[in-house]
């Protein structure tokens, strides 16, 4: 289990390490629209920085660090197919996909009222996963995998409910 945890964090930190130019490019592209839609000016900049870093890490892990045609445009619609042959790799794969969209579940509701509804928490993880999986399939940057879609959706929903739990816990601890 220690091996699985170390591999997951190693992959995440390698993307953070290479943040630089890509984050600036992604941030520059999305910042004007997000800035106009976010509500509270006091926390806007911090939220935008975190969202930009998050989006860059996701794109780096799923698309930017791969070569076109690296994969054979496979569509794996079998749930947990790898688990029989590679149990440790399957755990790493599932954990990474879960963690990939966990921040999405709490970042979007912090910036947009629309995402404060549970159905949009679920839909955001599902749609982000579908977009990435389709890009990977079409470009050969990865395989279309049912496991990825399922774990990404569960990750976003878990992030959404984590935010709701923290918000509920903080309602009773107002400092005056």
């Amino acid at each position: 289990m220690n091996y699985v945890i170390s591999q997951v964090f190693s992959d995440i930190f390698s993307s953070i390490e290479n943040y630089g130019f890509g984050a600036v490019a992604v941030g520059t592209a999305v910042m004007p629209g997000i800035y106009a839609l976010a509500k509270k000016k006091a926390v806007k900049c911090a939220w935008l920085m975190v969202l930009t870093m998050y989006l860059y890490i996701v794109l780096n892990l799923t698309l930017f660090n791969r070569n076109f045609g690296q994969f054979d445009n496979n569509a794996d619609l079998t749930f947990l197919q790898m688990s029989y042959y590679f149990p440790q790799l399957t755990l790493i794969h599932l954990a990474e996909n879960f963690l990939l969209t966990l921040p999405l579940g709490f970042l979007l509701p912090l910036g947009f009222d629309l995402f404060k509804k549970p159905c949009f928490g679920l839909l955001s993880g599902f749609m982000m996963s579908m977009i990435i999986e389709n890009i990977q399939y079409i470009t050969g940057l990865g395989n279309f995998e049912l496991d990825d879609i399922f774990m990404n959706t569960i990750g976003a929903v878990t992030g959404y409910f984590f935010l709701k739990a923290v918000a509920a816990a903080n309602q009773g601890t107002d400092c005056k």
Side-chain angles (χ1 to χ4, degrees):
M1 192 59 162
N2 287 338
Y3 173 74
V4 171
I5 292 169
S6 69
Q7 283 299 119
V8 167
F9 283 106
S10 171
D11 288 346
I12 291 169
F13 289 129
S14 70
S15 287
I16 293 171
E17 212 172 68
N18 300 322
Y19 181 64
F21 178 74
V24 173
V26 172
T28 303
V30 299
M31 195 174 295
I34 292 175
Y35 187 80
L37 294 171
K39 343 186 272 197
K40 298 179 181 178
K41 289 185 181 185
V43 296
K44 232 179 232 189
C45 288
W47 180 78
L48 283 171
M49 292 288 286
V50 171
L51 183 65
T52 302
M53 183 188 298
Y54 168 71
L55 290 174
Y56 177 72
I57 290 170
V58 168
L59 292 173
N60 191 44
L61 285 170
T62 59
L63 302 172
F64 295 162
N65 69 349
R66 300 173 180 195
N67 298 320
F68 284 99
Q70 181 178 347
F71 293 85
D72 295 330
N73 297 53
N74 292 325
D76 182 6
L77 302 178
T78 308
F79 192 65
L80 296 175
Q81 181 181 8
M82 283 183 15
S83 63
Y84 180 74
Y85 300 106
F86 308 105
Q88 277 190 320
L89 289 178
T90 300
L91 283 175
I92 293 168
H93 184 77
L94 293 175
E96 286 178 347
N97 277 292
F98 174 81
L99 292 173
L100 186 70
T101 53
L102 189 69
L104 185 71
F106 60 83
L107 283 173
L108 289 179
L110 287 174
F112 304 109
D113 287 338
L114 175 68
F115 289 98
K116 290 183 180 179
K117 298 177 182 176
C119 62
F120 288 106
L122 180 116
L123 191 61
S124 66
F126 178 76
M127 290 305 296
M128 182 174 176
S129 184
M130 286 297 291
I131 290 168
I132 289 171
E133 292 298 313
N134 279 299
I135 290 171
Q136 286 179 341
Y137 179 75
I138 291 167
T139 61
L141 293 171
N143 295 321
F144 187 96
E145 296 182 26
L146 185 62
D147 293 348
D148 293 358
I149 296 167
F150 179 74
M151 292 309 291
N152 290 157
T153 304
I154 297 298
V157 169
T158 303
Y160 171 83
F161 283 114
F162 174 77
L163 175 68
K164 289 296 180 187
V166 169
N170 284 335
Q171 279 183 344
T173 60
D174 227 6
C175 296
K176 294 182 181 179

